[in-house]
Amino acid sequence: MNNLSNNLTNNRYLMPLEFEVLPTTAINLDTEQINQAVENSLKIKNQSQQWQTYINTLALLAFKEWLTERADSLTVNEDKCTVFQPAIANVIPAVANLQVGKFKVCLLTNDSLSDDEIVVPRAVVDLPEYIAHFYVLIEVLEEQETAIVFGFLSYQQLIKKQTVANLQPEADWTYQIPVSWFEQKPDDLLLYLRCLEANAIILPAINNQRTQILASMQNELMALLPQLQLPNIELWQVLTWEQGSAVITNIELLNWLDNLQQQGHNYSLQNSLKDLFKLLTQPAINVGRWLWDELDELAQELSWQLLPIIAPAPVMRSPVEEFQVITNQLQSRGLEISSQARGAYHDLLLAGIPLRLYAVTWTILSESDPLWTLLLVLGTSAQNTLPGHLKLRVSDQTSILVEQGINQEQGDSYLFTRVVGNWDEKFLVSVSLVDGVELTLPPFTFYPGRSH
């Protein structure tokens, strides 16, 4: 049994249970649901947040059962639900972005509603990405293995009451909301979910300037975010709310933070964070267009040149022919290159050293999500040996994937590496010298649809 399971078991014997008559609407939680909640909470690396994720997962499972018993025609979509996304669940202790029918629902949990107030994360009230049409208050009685849907509050009601009461957020990015604000007839929520039009509750639009805002904060965030590598340090203790909003609304940045304690061992933490910001804020070259013999506007602007379909190498060695020699060598080493692969090359100048970067892409068949691959070959445009202090680095949105240098004993004439990702992943390529001189290309992305 895992540690959390032990803790859950031991918690039941910390104090004697007081007899309490539960309402007939109480939802009993079975062993399967409890085990599912334990398993989900263990995905949270921050142990201090595991318990809240456990309670939130129980609330979600109970709420789904409550809906099924009373309105089984309502569809529930958990695809974007934050409790199943560890990086978000770690910083937002609520069940946000649950879709019920046409409405966004946010579940707020408490283990006792005898208190006059409930703690609500500021993110689900102030950030459009997590705001809901309805906020549902659920009491989770973990010791009794029971949950009770207590009441609900629409977004319009919440904002109206917040304005009248002049309710201000706490320093730890929470609101203390009176329980009395919630309508204590939860069955009325079913009527709204079935009969109300979604546009009857207008939600604020998501800020379409998020990327620009993040870019403007890049330097300050790069200085502050590494502090979160220390144990038990939370976002609100390091960042302002404005900085925190930029972070909380970016899933790639949250994922990077979620893996922060495992970074910095093999690669530079600062380089990893710097690459991430470039991936998030810079325009990308769409290599998927290469499959249709097309360069997007960014690739054309940067003077990338398309390579022809790979064929046996002739005797002469133009840039195209040189790459054909390279691919023959790679294939002789066991690297398979698809016959559908397409590539391009780009000449670089790094500290006076003429370099040539070849990039080749193709799709990979997969039983689950479609994949794409990017093969990179770095050489010199003059066909000379690469300088021994040259490095090639490739990063994605989570970390540095590859950082390799020249084998001086072998006198390599080129560096090559290959990375694979889903269609929504980007790769950032940097070429550097040991004296700090570095050149970073725009990110590579993959959308194979033809342009019109």
Side-chain angles (χ1 to χ4, degrees):
M1 184 177 289
N2 54 61
N3 291 335
L4 183 59
S5 297
N6 286 331
N7 290 337
L8 298 181
T9 302
N10 293 335
N11 282 342
R12 294 191 176 95
Y13 301 99
L14 293 178
M15 61 182 65
L17 295 178
E18 295 182 0
F19 179 77
E20 181 180 358
V21 177
L22 298 176
T24 57
T25 55
I27 302 160
N28 294 322
L29 299 164
D30 59 32
T31 302
E32 183 179 350
Q33 291 171 318
I34 292 173
N35 289 338
Q36 184 179 347
V38 170
E39 182 180 349
N40 189 51
S41 66
L42 291 175
K43 298 175 183 177
I44 305 295
K45 298 182 178 68
N46 186 345
Q47 292 186 359
S48 65
Q49 296 296 329
Q50 287 181 351
W51 177 261
Q52 185 63 56
T53 302
Y54 168 73
I55 294 297
N56 287 343
T57 308
L58 288 179
L60 172 59
L61 297 174
F63 182 67
K64 287 172 58 181
E65 187 170 329
W66 182 80
L67 284 176
T68 301
E69 291 176 355
R70 292 162 175 77
D72 58 1
S73 61
L74 286 172
T75 58
V76 179
N77 189 332
E78 305 172 358
D79 290 348
K80 297 181 180 180
C81 189
T82 57
V83 77
F84 294 128
Q85 301 181 60
I88 304 179
N90 191 44
V91 296
I92 302 180
V95 184
N97 288 350
L98 176 66
Q99 192 77 24
V100 180
K102 300 169 288 186
F103 297 94
K104 288 177 62 178
V105 173
C106 177
L107 306 182
L108 306 171
T109 62
N110 203 341
D111 56 5
S112 174
L113 295 180
S114 60
D115 298 332
D116 293 333
E117 295 180 329
I118 181 173
V119 177
V120 178
R122 185 176 180 182
V124 302
V125 177
D126 291 350
L127 296 181
E129 286 83 351
Y130 304 106
I131 288 174
H133 293 94
F134 293 104
Y135 298 83
V136 182
L137 184 53
I138 298 181
E139 183 178 17
V140 178
L141 306 173
E142 190 273 332
E143 292 180 346
Q144 291 95 324
E145 299 180 353
T146 300
I148 302 169
V149 179
F150 177 84
F152 69 99
L153 183 66
S154 72
Y155 175 71
Q156 289 175 331
Q157 292 171 320
L158 173 59
I159 297 305
K160 182 178 180 180
K161 292 178 180 293
Q162 179 189 21
T163 302
V164 171
N166 192 28
L167 186 65
Q168 299 298 316
E170 304 292 326
D172 62 352
W173 300 354
T174 63
Y175 285 103
Q176 301 283 342
I177 292 182
V179 172
S180 61
W181 285 10
F182 290 82
E183 295 187 29
Q184 297 181 26
K185 294 181 179 179
D187 283 343
D188 287 351
L189 173 63
L190 301 174
L191 180 63
Y192 294 138
L193 292 174
R194 285 182 298 201
C195 303
L196 196 65
E197 293 296 329
N199 57 13
I201 302 176
I202 300 175
L203 302 184
I206 294 176
N207 190 338
N208 59 9
Q209 301 295 315
R210 291 291 191 202
T211 300
Q212 293 87 330
I213 293 172
L214 188 63
S216 69
M217 295 181 178
Q218 176 174 338
N219 292 336
E220 53 199 81
L221 288 176
M222 285 188 61
L224 293 171
L225 291 180
Q227 297 180 34
L228 295 166
Q229 192 173 26
L230 298 173
N232 301 321
I233 299 296
E234 298 188 31
L235 284 177
W236 65 268
Q237 295 173 300
V238 175
L239 308 178
T240 65
W241 172 246
E242 288 71 23
Q243 294 166 339
S245 298
V247 172
I248 295 173
T249 54
N250 190 288
I251 184 59
E252 290 91 351
L253 197 48
L254 286 177
N255 285 331
W256 186 90
L257 288 172
D258 194 45
N259 294 321
L260 181 58
Q261 291 186 344
Q262 285 140 24
Q263 296 190 27
H265 300 296
N266 299 322
Y267 302 116
S268 163
L269 184 64
Q270 283 297 321
N271 278 344
S272 176
L273 188 54
K274 177 178 63 176
D275 287 353
L276 175 62
F277 272 104
K278 290 177 180 177
L279 282 164
L280 297 179
T281 60
Q282 291 187 359
I285 295 173
N286 180 9
V287 300
R289 295 270 293 276
W290 298 357
L291 301 180
W292 300 98
D293 288 328
E294 297 175 350
L295 293 172
D296 64 8
E297 292 182 3
L298 182 57
Q300 293 180 48
E301 181 181 333
L302 296 175
S303 301
W304 281 82
Q305 301 293 322
L306 276 172
L307 293 165
I309 295 175
I310 298 170
V315 178
M316 300 299 293
R317 289 195 181 182
S318 66
V320 173
E321 297 160 353
E322 176 66 19
F323 181 71
Q324 292 172 332
V325 172
I326 293 172
T327 56
N328 287 341
Q329 294 177 4
L330 293 177
Q331 289 172 329
S332 69
R333 297 184 187 183
L335 177 64
E336 295 184 4
I337 300 177
S338 169
S339 60
Q340 305 300 317
R342 293 308 313 270
Y345 73 91
H346 182 52
D347 288 333
L348 315 171
L349 193 63
L350 183 66
I353 302 173
L355 301 172
R356 177 168 291 148
L357 180 67
Y358 297 95
V360 182
T361 187
W362 63 91
T363 58
I364 299 177
L365 295 178
S366 172
E367 294 181 357
S368 54
D369 296 330
L371 302 174
W372 70 288
T373 187
L374 183 66
L375 170 65
L376 299 162
V377 180
L378 179 65
T380 64
S381 56
Q383 300 181 17
N384 296 326
T385 300
L386 290 172
H389 51 301
L390 188 71
K391 283 190 175 182
L392 176 66
R393 186 173 76 245
V394 183
S395 300
D396 67 3
Q397 291 99 315
T398 60
S399 65
I400 295 175
L401 302 177
V402 178
E403 190 172 49
Q404 64 183 68
I406 293 296
N407 187 326
Q408 297 188 16
E409 295 181 358
Q410 295 181 358
D412 291 338
S413 56
Y414 60 87
L415 283 172
F416 78 92
T417 191
R418 179 188 169 207
V419 290
V420 177
N422 298 322
W423 282 19
D424 59 352
E425 291 185 75
K426 300 178 185 178
F427 298 113
L428 188 77
V429 178
S430 300
V431 183
S432 63
L433 302 172
V434 293
D435 55 6
V437 178
E438 181 173 286
L439 178 63
T440 301
L441 283 77
F444 291 92
T445 189
F446 190 85
Y447 297 103
R450 299 202 67 166
S451 63
H452 298 283

